[in-house]
Amino acid sequence: MRGRALVVLGCALLMAGCATTVGGTASPASPPSEGKDIAAGEPCELLTPEQAAALYYEEKGQFTPGKPDQLVPAVCSFTPAYSDQSMDLLDIYFSVDIPLADYVAGVEPEWEKEIGGLTWARYPDPFGGESMCTIATELSPSSFVAIMSSNFSDESRSCEQAEAAAPFVSSHLPGGAPATVEPRKPSPLESVNPCSLLTPEQAEKLGRRGHGEYLEPGDLLPARCNWINADGDDRNTTIVGVETKRPAPDPETRSDGEPKKVEADGREWVVYGASIPGMCVADLAVTDRSYVSITVTDGVAETDEVCAKVEDAIPLVTKNLPKE
């Protein structure tokens, strides 16, 4: 499903143009690679661990050698760091012995734009259509680098990750501009206990018992506080979670319907019925890697009714959040 590769040449790394800033963890600009054999075509060296993490991918990619006789360059595949994000693999291809024109069979690009000091062009994919996006920059008549990303649930977003990675990749190529990873601002949720986000009076107003039970974080679950129904039925609950190290989940990976945006006190929550019957969730992204969630479960109610209970809780929880 990933399609074919696209390619690059290498000589000594030169830095040119203005610096590019991309969100994430602080990292110095990519330095010139003095003495480094860029001509070897090592695609995994075109993203540092810090840069990969800033793009929400695992810090190290998986290298696969190229097959020049089949017009397939070497590739480094980066796996998404978070399984609850609507993201596919990010592939970076680096070739020093395949002309770009040969690889794309002479097809003209759909568009060209400057990213990170280099000209990148999108080439149509004969297999994945608009759901797959390959952008490439030509370094010489016989070398190029290409970045491939995809989105099969929303083809309008298929180029998002490839274009986000392009400034970083450009910074390691001849003529590319230096790129820094923007320092990530600390989350105001760092010291927030989820059980503080509903007062006893507010919980009772929602038909819950006044005091919630704190639940430790799990692999995919944030620290949470669970308020059971006033009659003691623990199948009917309101759960508030606080996450400070991960981005908010993408509803596409968890939703059973169309997400709804709900505003409270100037903040925008995303409400969606979960794929589990009798469950509805609302997420509020506070920073790029922190969020608050509200989950209501009710095994005997319809999804619309459960989501209405989530919406009842939103203004109460929002009121108790720290100011940004």
Side-chain angles (χ1 to χ4, degrees):
M1 299 243 341
R2 301 299 299 171
R4 301 179 303 171
L6 291 174
V7 227
V8 157
L9 164 105
C11 7
L13 182 63
L14 301 175
M15 293 297 192
C18 300
T20 302
T21 303
V22 186
T25 306
S27 174
S30 303
S33 54
E34 298 178 1
K36 186 175 180 181
D37 185 13
I38 293 295
E42 294 290 346
C44 290
E45 295 183 2
L46 298 180
L47 270 188
T48 67
E50 294 80 12
Q51 291 169 344
L55 295 168
Y56 302 144
Y57 286 93
E58 297 288 352
E59 293 186 353
K60 294 185 178 181
Q62 178 67 44
F63 174 78
T64 302
K67 298 178 180 178
D69 58 325
Q70 299 178 29
L71 296 182
V72 177
V75 60
C76 192
S77 299
F78 291 84
T79 302
Y82 307 105
S83 61
D84 53 5
Q85 299 297 299
S86 183
M87 293 171 60
D88 297 324
L89 289 175
L90 180 75
D91 292 335
I92 300 176
Y93 299 97
F94 191 160
S95 177
V96 298
D97 48 14
I98 304 171
L100 177 58
D102 288 354
Y103 180 74
V104 300
V107 174
E108 293 296 317
E110 295 180 351
W111 51 252
E112 292 184 350
K113 64 177 68 174
E114 183 177 310
I115 307 176
L118 300 178
T119 298
W120 292 84
R122 180 182 183 180
Y123 290 88
D125 189 287
F127 306 108
E130 293 299 311
S131 295
M132 298 185 69
C133 178
T134 298
I135 63 174
T137 185
E138 188 174 36
L139 301 181
S140 82
S142 62
S143 64
F144 66 90
V145 168
I147 309 171
M148 183 182 291
S149 63
S150 61
N151 191 313
F152 292 95
S153 58
D154 183 355
E155 64 182 26
S156 69
R157 299 175 60 189
S158 62
C159 285
E160 279 187 4
Q161 294 305 118
E163 291 190 59
F168 289 141
V169 174
S170 294
S171 72
H172 299 285
L173 298 174
T180 58
V181 181
E182 189 176 82
R184 189 177 303 126
K185 64 179 182 180
S187 173
L189 300 177
E190 291 288 350
S191 59
V192 173
N193 184 322
C195 290
S196 70
L197 295 180
L198 280 180
T199 67
E201 295 75 20
Q202 290 172 331
E204 290 169 1
K205 183 178 179 179
L206 296 172
R208 308 307 190 192
R209 290 186 172 177
H211 294 280
E213 176 188 5
Y214 178 81
L215 303 173
E216 295 287 346
D219 290 340
L220 291 176
L221 294 172
R224 305 165 321 282
C225 196
N226 182 33
W227 286 266
I228 66 173
N229 202 47
D231 63 6
D233 185 356
D234 59 9
R235 297 167 299 176
N236 188 347
T237 65
T238 295
I239 304 168
V240 178
V242 173
E243 176 59 69
T244 61
K245 293 181 174 60
R246 295 166 52 86
D250 189 328
E252 290 185 7
T253 67
R254 307 171 64 179
S255 176
D256 194 32
E258 189 69 24
K260 175 183 178 181
K261 295 180 180 179
V262 175
E263 186 172 323
D265 197 21
R267 304 193 189 205
E268 188 174 83
W269 294 75
V270 180
V271 180
Y272 52 94
S275 54
I276 301 174
M279 178 182 292
C280 187
V281 181
D283 294 323
L284 172 68
V286 176
T287 66
D288 66 337
R289 277 184 171 81
S290 69
Y291 68 94
V292 179
S293 65
I294 301 172
T295 304
V296 172
T297 63
D298 188 339
V300 298
E302 297 294 328
T303 299
D304 289 348
E305 183 181 347
V306 182
C307 287
K309 293 181 180 181
V310 170
E311 292 189 41
D312 288 341
I314 283 176
L316 303 179
V317 172
T318 304
K319 183 178 180 181
N320 296 326
L321 289 173
K323 302 300 180 183
E324 295 185 79

mmCIF file of all heavy atoms in Angstrom, residues 275-311:
data_model
loop_
_atom_site.group_PDB
_atom_site.id
_atom_site.type_symbol
_atom_site.label_atom_id
_atom_site.label_comp_id
_atom_site.label_asym_id
_atom_site.label_seq_id
_atom_site.Cartn_x
_atom_site.Cartn_y
_atom_site.Cartn_z
ATOM 1 N N SER A 275 -16.607 3.735 20.018
ATOM 2 C CA SER A 275 -16.976 2.512 19.313
ATOM 3 C C SER A 275 -17.569 1.476 20.257
ATOM 4 O O SER A 275 -18.178 0.504 19.823
ATOM 5 C CB SER A 275 -15.745 1.931 18.601
ATOM 6 O OG SER A 275 -14.676 1.748 19.520
ATOM 7 N N ILE A 276 -17.392 1.682 21.568
ATOM 8 C CA ILE A 276 -18.000 0.798 22.572
ATOM 9 C C ILE A 276 -19.409 1.291 22.863
ATOM 10 O O ILE A 276 -19.610 2.467 23.194
ATOM 11 C CB ILE A 276 -17.164 0.794 23.866
ATOM 12 C CG1 ILE A 276 -15.747 0.317 23.578
ATOM 13 C CG2 ILE A 276 -17.826 -0.064 24.943
ATOM 14 C CD1 ILE A 276 -14.815 0.429 24.772
ATOM 15 N N PRO A 277 -20.440 0.442 22.759
ATOM 16 C CA PRO A 277 -21.815 0.883 23.026
ATOM 17 C C PRO A 277 -21.958 1.445 24.447
ATOM 18 O O PRO A 277 -21.335 0.971 25.386
ATOM 19 C CB PRO A 277 -22.630 -0.403 22.858
ATOM 20 C CG PRO A 277 -21.799 -1.276 21.971
ATOM 21 C CD PRO A 277 -20.376 -0.961 22.324
ATOM 22 N N GLY A 278 -22.781 2.484 24.579
ATOM 23 C CA GLY A 278 -23.032 3.059 25.887
ATOM 24 C C GLY A 278 -21.921 3.935 26.406
ATOM 25 O O GLY A 278 -21.849 4.205 27.606
ATOM 26 N N MET A 279 -21.037 4.422 25.533
ATOM 27 C CA MET A 279 -19.919 5.262 25.962
ATOM 28 C C MET A 279 -19.799 6.477 25.050
ATOM 29 O O MET A 279 -19.932 6.375 23.840
ATOM 30 C CB MET A 279 -18.607 4.481 25.949
ATOM 31 C CG MET A 279 -17.382 5.312 26.348
ATOM 32 S SD MET A 279 -15.819 4.376 26.258
ATOM 33 C CE MET A 279 -16.058 3.214 27.607
ATOM 34 N N CYS A 280 -19.553 7.635 25.666
ATOM 35 C CA CYS A 280 -19.318 8.856 24.916
ATOM 36 C C CYS A 280 -18.138 9.588 25.550
ATOM 37 O O CYS A 280 -17.938 9.526 26.774
ATOM 38 C CB CYS A 280 -20.557 9.745 24.902
ATOM 39 S SG CYS A 280 -20.408 11.197 23.828
ATOM 40 N N VAL A 281 -17.355 10.271 24.718
ATOM 41 C CA VAL A 281 -16.109 10.890 25.172
ATOM 42 C C VAL A 281 -16.042 12.332 24.682
ATOM 43 O O VAL A 281 -16.537 12.662 23.599
ATOM 44 C CB VAL A 281 -14.891 10.110 24.628
ATOM 45 C CG1 VAL A 281 -13.578 10.736 25.105
ATOM 46 C CG2 VAL A 281 -14.962 8.642 25.036
ATOM 47 N N ALA A 282 -15.411 13.181 25.482
ATOM 48 C CA ALA A 282 -15.063 14.537 25.061
ATOM 49 C C ALA A 282 -13.595 14.758 25.378
ATOM 50 O O ALA A 282 -13.124 14.412 26.465
ATOM 51 C CB ALA A 282 -15.918 15.569 25.780
ATOM 52 N N ASP A 283 -12.857 15.325 24.427
ATOM 53 C CA ASP A 283 -11.440 15.627 24.624
ATOM 54 C C ASP A 283 -11.206 17.119 24.429
ATOM 55 O O ASP A 283 -11.787 17.742 23.534
ATOM 56 C CB ASP A 283 -10.572 14.857 23.625
ATOM 57 C CG ASP A 283 -10.604 13.350 23.848
ATOM 58 O OD1 ASP A 283 -10.651 12.931 25.013
ATOM 59 O OD2 ASP A 283 -10.572 12.610 22.844
ATOM 60 N N LEU A 284 -10.327 17.660 25.260
ATOM 61 C CA LEU A 284 -9.907 19.055 25.138
ATOM 62 C C LEU A 284 -8.390 19.086 25.054
ATOM 63 O O LEU A 284 -7.700 18.754 26.023
ATOM 64 C CB LEU A 284 -10.372 19.878 26.339
ATOM 65 C CG LEU A 284 -9.820 21.305 26.418
ATOM 66 C CD1 LEU A 284 -10.385 22.175 25.297
ATOM 67 C CD2 LEU A 284 -10.118 21.926 27.787
ATOM 68 N N ALA A 285 -7.850 19.462 23.892
ATOM 69 C CA ALA A 285 -6.400 19.599 23.745
ATOM 70 C C ALA A 285 -5.974 20.892 24.431
ATOM 71 O O ALA A 285 -6.461 21.971 24.103
ATOM 72 C CB ALA A 285 -6.023 19.622 22.278
ATOM 73 N N VAL A 286 -5.054 20.783 25.391
ATOM 74 C CA VAL A 286 -4.570 21.957 26.119
ATOM 75 C C VAL A 286 -3.249 22.437 25.521
ATOM 76 O O VAL A 286 -3.032 23.628 25.342
ATOM 77 C CB VAL A 286 -4.432 21.638 27.620
ATOM 78 C CG1 VAL A 286 -3.838 22.818 28.380
ATOM 79 C CG2 VAL A 286 -5.811 21.279 28.195
ATOM 80 N N THR A 287 -2.340 21.510 25.225
ATOM 81 C CA THR A 287 -1.130 21.800 24.445
ATOM 82 C C THR A 287 -1.007 20.682 23.415
ATOM 83 O O THR A 287 -1.873 19.795 23.338
ATOM 84 C CB THR A 287 0.137 21.846 25.322
ATOM 85 O OG1 THR A 287 0.390 20.533 25.851
ATOM 86 C CG2 THR A 287 -0.019 22.835 26.477
ATOM 87 N N ASP A 288 0.090 20.705 22.632
ATOM 88 C CA ASP A 288 0.245 19.666 21.610
ATOM 89 C C ASP A 288 0.460 18.283 22.202
ATOM 90 O O ASP A 288 0.307 17.280 21.509
ATOM 91 C CB ASP A 288 1.379 20.018 20.642
ATOM 92 C CG ASP A 288 2.749 20.024 21.305
ATOM 93 O OD1 ASP A 288 2.817 20.184 22.537
ATOM 94 O OD2 ASP A 288 3.765 19.881 20.590
ATOM 95 N N ARG A 289 0.810 18.209 23.485
ATOM 96 C CA ARG A 289 0.976 16.912 24.135
ATOM 97 C C ARG A 289 0.350 16.889 25.520
ATOM 98 O O ARG A 289 0.891 16.308 26.453
ATOM 99 C CB ARG A 289 2.467 16.530 24.204
ATOM 100 C CG ARG A 289 2.986 15.882 22.915
ATOM 101 C CD ARG A 289 4.430 15.450 23.075
ATOM 102 N NE ARG A 289 4.913 14.653 21.977
ATOM 103 C CZ ARG A 289 5.337 15.121 20.815
ATOM 104 N NH1 ARG A 289 5.323 16.422 20.610
ATOM 105 N NH2 ARG A 289 5.779 14.313 19.871
ATOM 106 N N SER A 290 -0.805 17.470 25.671
ATOM 107 C CA SER A 290 -1.561 17.344 26.920
ATOM 108 C C SER A 290 -3.030 17.614 26.636
ATOM 109 O O SER A 290 -3.359 18.431 25.773
ATOM 110 C CB SER A 290 -1.027 18.293 27.999
ATOM 111 O OG SER A 290 -1.301 19.641 27.691
ATOM 112 N N TYR A 291 -3.880 16.901 27.346
ATOM 113 C CA TYR A 291 -5.316 17.077 27.128
ATOM 114 C C TYR A 291 -6.105 16.616 28.342
ATOM 115 O O TYR A 291 -5.592 15.935 29.241
ATOM 116 C CB TYR A 291 -5.775 16.307 25.885
ATOM 117 C CG TYR A 291 -5.721 14.797 26.001
ATOM 118 C CD1 TYR A 291 -6.828 14.048 26.399
ATOM 119 C CD2 TYR A 291 -4.550 14.095 25.693
ATOM 120 C CE1 TYR A 291 -6.776 12.666 26.492
ATOM 121 C CE2 TYR A 291 -4.490 12.720 25.784
ATOM 122 C CZ TYR A 291 -5.607 12.001 26.177
ATOM 123 O OH TYR A 291 -5.549 10.629 26.279
ATOM 124 N N VAL A 292 -7.371 17.017 28.358
ATOM 125 C CA VAL A 292 -8.328 16.575 29.379
ATOM 126 C C VAL A 292 -9.415 15.792 28.663
ATOM 127 O O VAL A 292 -9.819 16.148 27.551
ATOM 128 C CB VAL A 292 -8.946 17.773 30.120
ATOM 129 C CG1 VAL A 292 -9.962 17.300 31.164
ATOM 130 C CG2 VAL A 292 -7.867 18.609 30.786
ATOM 131 N N SER A 293 -9.886 14.728 29.286
ATOM 132 C CA SER A 293 -10.968 13.941 28.682
ATOM 133 C C SER A 293 -12.100 13.756 29.690
ATOM 134 O O SER A 293 -11.876 13.717 30.910
ATOM 135 C CB SER A 293 -10.465 12.572 28.236
ATOM 136 O OG SER A 293 -10.052 11.799 29.353
ATOM 137 N N ILE A 294 -13.303 13.672 29.169
ATOM 138 C CA ILE A 294 -14.490 13.331 29.967
ATOM 139 C C ILE A 294 -15.139 12.143 29.285
ATOM 140 O O ILE A 294 -15.434 12.184 28.093
ATOM 141 C CB ILE A 294 -15.494 14.496 30.031
ATOM 142 C CG1 ILE A 294 -14.849 15.745 30.630
ATOM 143 C CG2 ILE A 294 -16.727 14.091 30.847
ATOM 144 C CD1 ILE A 294 -15.726 16.989 30.541
ATOM 145 N N THR A 295 -15.345 11.069 30.032
ATOM 146 C CA THR A 295 -15.986 9.872 29.494
ATOM 147 C C THR A 295 -17.187 9.527 30.351
ATOM 148 O O THR A 295 -17.089 9.493 31.590
ATOM 149 C CB THR A 295 -15.014 8.677 29.490
ATOM 150 O OG1 THR A 295 -13.840 9.019 28.750
ATOM 151 C CG2 THR A 295 -15.663 7.441 28.882
ATOM 152 N N VAL A 296 -18.316 9.297 29.705
ATOM 153 C CA VAL A 296 -19.519 8.850 30.418
ATOM 154 C C VAL A 296 -19.901 7.478 29.882
ATOM 155 O O VAL A 296 -19.919 7.259 28.666
ATOM 156 C CB VAL A 296 -20.689 9.837 30.251
ATOM 157 C CG1 VAL A 296 -21.976 9.246 30.835
ATOM 158 C CG2 VAL A 296 -20.362 11.165 30.936
ATOM 159 N N THR A 297 -20.181 6.557 30.798
ATOM 160 C CA THR A 297 -20.643 5.221 30.411
ATOM 161 C C THR A 297 -22.040 4.992 30.978
ATOM 162 O O THR A 297 -22.346 5.393 32.109
ATOM 163 C CB THR A 297 -19.706 4.124 30.941
ATOM 164 O OG1 THR A 297 -19.710 4.132 32.375
ATOM 165 C CG2 THR A 297 -18.284 4.353 30.458
ATOM 166 N N ASP A 298 -22.879 4.373 30.173
ATOM 167 C CA ASP A 298 -24.234 4.023 30.621
ATOM 168 C C ASP A 298 -24.721 2.910 29.714
ATOM 169 O O ASP A 298 -25.100 3.148 28.559
ATOM 170 C CB ASP A 298 -25.168 5.232 30.546
ATOM 171 C CG ASP A 298 -26.530 4.945 31.187
ATOM 172 O OD1 ASP A 298 -26.894 3.758 31.329
ATOM 173 O OD2 ASP A 298 -27.225 5.919 31.529
ATOM 174 N N GLY A 299 -24.683 1.697 30.222
ATOM 175 C CA GLY A 299 -24.978 0.527 29.414
ATOM 176 C C GLY A 299 -26.398 0.410 28.922
ATOM 177 O O GLY A 299 -26.662 -0.371 28.005
ATOM 178 N N VAL A 300 -27.330 1.172 29.475
ATOM 179 C CA VAL A 300 -28.733 1.028 29.071
ATOM 180 C C VAL A 300 -29.244 2.252 28.314
ATOM 181 O O VAL A 300 -30.434 2.332 28.006
ATOM 182 C CB VAL A 300 -29.628 0.771 30.303
ATOM 183 C CG1 VAL A 300 -29.236 -0.536 30.978
ATOM 184 C CG2 VAL A 300 -29.553 1.924 31.291
ATOM 185 N N ALA A 301 -28.378 3.207 28.010
ATOM 186 C CA ALA A 301 -28.813 4.437 27.348
ATOM 187 C C ALA A 301 -28.326 4.472 25.905
ATOM 188 O O ALA A 301 -27.329 3.845 25.536
ATOM 189 C CB ALA A 301 -28.292 5.654 28.104
ATOM 190 N N GLU A 302 -29.043 5.231 25.071
ATOM 191 C CA GLU A 302 -28.624 5.449 23.698
ATOM 192 C C GLU A 302 -27.426 6.406 23.666
ATOM 193 O O GLU A 302 -27.215 7.197 24.597
ATOM 194 C CB GLU A 302 -29.775 6.035 22.879
ATOM 195 C CG GLU A 302 -30.982 5.116 22.751
ATOM 196 C CD GLU A 302 -30.673 3.856 21.949
ATOM 197 O OE1 GLU A 302 -29.826 3.944 21.025
ATOM 198 O OE2 GLU A 302 -31.255 2.802 22.250
ATOM 199 N N THR A 303 -26.667 6.344 22.585
ATOM 200 C CA THR A 303 -25.460 7.166 22.481
ATOM 201 C C THR A 303 -25.764 8.649 22.640
ATOM 202 O O THR A 303 -25.040 9.370 23.333
ATOM 203 C CB THR A 303 -24.760 6.926 21.125
ATOM 204 O OG1 THR A 303 -24.372 5.548 21.043
ATOM 205 C CG2 THR A 303 -23.522 7.802 20.994
ATOM 206 N N ASP A 304 -26.836 9.140 22.019
ATOM 207 C CA ASP A 304 -27.173 10.560 22.121
ATOM 208 C C ASP A 304 -27.417 10.968 23.569
ATOM 209 O O ASP A 304 -27.029 12.057 23.995
ATOM 210 C CB ASP A 304 -28.410 10.880 21.276
ATOM 211 C CG ASP A 304 -28.123 10.834 19.776
ATOM 212 O OD1 ASP A 304 -26.930 10.773 19.407
ATOM 213 O OD2 ASP A 304 -29.084 10.842 18.982
ATOM 214 N N GLU A 305 -28.054 10.092 24.313
ATOM 215 C CA GLU A 305 -28.336 10.389 25.723
ATOM 216 C C GLU A 305 -27.042 10.406 26.542
ATOM 217 O O GLU A 305 -26.860 11.261 27.420
ATOM 218 C CB GLU A 305 -29.301 9.331 26.282
ATOM 219 C CG GLU A 305 -29.722 9.590 27.719
ATOM 220 C CD GLU A 305 -30.666 8.511 28.246
ATOM 221 O OE1 GLU A 305 -31.169 7.711 27.422
ATOM 222 O OE2 GLU A 305 -30.885 8.475 29.473
ATOM 223 N N VAL A 306 -26.146 9.481 26.251
ATOM 224 C CA VAL A 306 -24.867 9.432 26.968
ATOM 225 C C VAL A 306 -24.038 10.669 26.641
ATOM 226 O O VAL A 306 -23.426 11.276 27.524
ATOM 227 C CB VAL A 306 -24.093 8.139 26.616
ATOM 228 C CG1 VAL A 306 -22.791 8.073 27.409
ATOM 229 C CG2 VAL A 306 -24.942 6.900 26.912
ATOM 230 N N CYS A 307 -24.027 11.061 25.365
ATOM 231 C CA CYS A 307 -23.261 12.249 24.980
ATOM 232 C C CYS A 307 -23.853 13.514 25.592
ATOM 233 O O CYS A 307 -23.119 14.486 25.860
ATOM 234 C CB CYS A 307 -23.201 12.364 23.456
ATOM 235 S SG CYS A 307 -22.089 11.150 22.675
ATOM 236 N N ALA A 308 -25.171 13.528 25.809
ATOM 237 C CA ALA A 308 -25.789 14.676 26.477
ATOM 238 C C ALA A 308 -25.258 14.811 27.907
ATOM 239 O O ALA A 308 -25.051 15.930 28.410
ATOM 240 C CB ALA A 308 -27.307 14.526 26.484
ATOM 241 N N LYS A 309 -24.993 13.680 28.556
ATOM 242 C CA LYS A 309 -24.422 13.718 29.902
ATOM 243 C C LYS A 309 -22.986 14.240 29.874
ATOM 244 O O LYS A 309 -22.566 14.950 30.786
ATOM 245 C CB LYS A 309 -24.462 12.320 30.529
ATOM 246 C CG LYS A 309 -25.870 11.803 30.809
ATOM 247 C CD LYS A 309 -25.819 10.423 31.460
ATOM 248 C CE LYS A 309 -27.224 9.906 31.752
ATOM 249 N NZ LYS A 309 -27.187 8.562 32.408
ATOM 250 N N VAL A 310 -22.258 13.877 28.823
ATOM 251 C CA VAL A 310 -20.909 14.419 28.663
ATOM 252 C C VAL A 310 -20.968 15.931 28.515
ATOM 253 O O VAL A 310 -20.203 16.675 29.156
ATOM 254 C CB VAL A 310 -20.208 13.791 27.432
ATOM 255 C CG1 VAL A 310 -18.923 14.531 27.120
ATOM 256 C CG2 VAL A 310 -19.915 12.315 27.680
ATOM 257 N N GLU A 311 -21.882 16.422 27.692
ATOM 258 C CA GLU A 311 -22.012 17.862 27.485
ATOM 259 C C GLU A 311 -22.433 18.585 28.760
ATOM 260 O O GLU A 311 -22.053 19.738 28.979
ATOM 261 C CB GLU A 311 -22.989 18.137 26.349
ATOM 262 C CG GLU A 311 -22.460 17.683 24.989
ATOM 263 C CD GLU A 311 -23.324 18.140 23.832
ATOM 264 O OE1 GLU A 311 -23.793 19.295 23.863
ATOM 265 O OE2 GLU A 311 -23.547 17.331 22.898
#
